[in-house]
Amino acid sequence: MQKDFSLAIIFMDKMVFQADKPLKIFGTAEKDLNIKISLLDRDYEFNIKKGEFCVDLPSLPVIKMGFTVKVSGGNTNYEIKDCLVGDVFICAGQSNMAFIVNDCININQVPNNLIRSFEVPKRPYYGLEDKPGWEFLNNYQWLIADSDNIKWFSAIGYLVASSLQKEKDIPIGILSLNMGDTTVFAWIDEVTLGENKRLKYILDNYYEEIKKFKTEKEYDDYFNQQLPLLYQFYGLLDEGVRLGLSSEDAHRRAFEKVPNPYLPMGPKNQNRPCGLFDTMVKRVIPYQAKAILYYQGENDKLNYEVYKEAMDTFTLSWRKSFQSELPIIITQIAGYEYVEVDPLAVSYLRREQAKFLNVEEQKYVITAVDCGERYDIHPHDKNEVARRFVGILNEFVYHTGSNSLSPMYDSHQLIGDKLVIKVKNNQLPLKCIDKNCCFTVITKTGKVKEAKIYQLLEQEIVILLEEEIVELRYAFSNYPELFIYTENDLPLLPFQIKFQ
């Protein structure tokens, strides 16, 4: 018998509600009906209409003892057991956010009933969960951080949750909403993306691309032909890394065996504009949370010219969809020897990621540039990235910390043969962790040289120039070495100065 209504997939035993925000109960009704919600000795009744519904209950304080929520109406009854109330963090992005504890190093796995995680099924397109071999997409549940489950948590999510739970002594929920090998445009809703005149071309290009296929069957046949080749290509890349090959050599080896591993753009491509918003994000909105932790960008290195605009649009989309002005922290992507791209494309992407920072608008940036592995796009130690997320949360969300932002370039002045660079955002003194401490400069004759630091002051860097230059770079490469840090071990963000 068909249910009269269904709750969204996130409403399951062991869930964590966000404290001090309206408790939103949402789902889909098959007809107009009256529903009753009971929790903590209180009853609420609502008349809901056929279709998607969302009702608001009063906010709750932190609750560390499990309780039951009952929702009933018509022929349908839900009983959601062992619920908690605390802080919920949306851990979103690509594979480095999805990277699980079991694949990482240096993580102390400590069981904790007050840390829980819900992973939204990674569904590239509708109907995939009904295909043989993909039934696991229907096995979603809240997991308690016990000895059996911690290994499946997002590593960054677990490390952040573990640190905050210990500090704040409250339940922490992780809403894991991520998928590897994805672009930011896949995570934005279509209305918001289409309203941005500078980004609308993304949608226009998509609709032109799918016109190449005359029928749905023609597209499906080509997609099904390419999918095994893509898996084979990824397998060869992983094999190359295990063999100790450089990123470039691993890619060259994979392309020799699989020259064309690419999926056709279309309704089954996980990177189609707005696709993952429709198949994943919509399933859990407007669940309330404390903040968004976002680690993505590797797939947008060629979109660097519009990436800052895209992230602003992403933020607008998610804040509107989750019905909350959520603070968002994004991650400047890690160092890695990318291949087959403009050597400066990754640096330009990081530059645009740094521009996203706007404290007044609750938009923050951490960096993972110095946390990378030269030949593996997935660094296996996530501790430092998690520490930086926690620092931002403590200062700007919990208001208990300070100097959590990495210093970044502010201004410069030429005084004789000295270049004085001022930094901002972190008030702690700078230090150099490398005896060399050289910046890269390009002279008027086009020569690439090194320029040593003459003096390092609290918020200033003085560089001695031996000749006139047209450009200065700091950590401006795929896999750079960062050597200027604050006293609390936050690195100066990469930057570039061009002189007229």
Side-chain angles (χ1 to χ4, degrees), residues 93 100 108 167 187 209 256 290-291 296 328 357 372 395 419 438 462 467 470:
I100 61 173
N108 185 22
E167 289 180 17
W187 296 102
E209 188 70 19
E256 286 174 355
K290 191 77 168 179
Q296 187 274 335
I328 176 170
L357 176 67
E395 179 172 2
L419 175 64
C438 289
V462 183
E467 58 185 299
V470 296

Side-chain angles (χ1 to χ4, degrees), residues 154 414 420:
S154 156
L414 274 170
V420 180

Side-chain angles (χ1 to χ4, degrees), residues 7-11 26-28 52 90-94 118-126 175-179 182-190 192 270 272-289 292-294 296 313-324 326 328:
L7 293 180
I9 62 173
I10 199 166
F11 292 100
F26 52 96
T28 304
E52 294 181 358
I90 302 172
C91 293
Q94 287 188 228
F118 183 88
E119 180 179 354
V120 178
K122 293 174 170 55
R123 185 170 67 167
Y125 59 89
Y126 287 114
L175 176 51
S176 207
L177 192 51
N178 41 62
M179 183 182 288
T182 54
T183 175
V184 63
F185 303 106
W187 296 102
I188 303 172
D189 75 274
E190 187 167 356
T192 305
Q270 67 188 41
R272 67 194 182 281
C274 316
L276 297 180
F277 184 90
D278 289 339
T279 62
M280 292 179 64
V281 183
K282 273 187 176 180
R283 304 184 81 180
V284 291
I285 56 176
Y287 200 69
Q288 295 298 283
I292 301 167
L293 314 182
Y294 190 74
Q296 187 274 335
T313 305
F314 168 92
T315 304
L316 175 65
S317 172
W318 280 38
R319 286 177 172 175
K320 179 173 61 176
S321 300
F322 283 97
Q323 300 178 15
S324 179
L326 290 167
I328 176 170

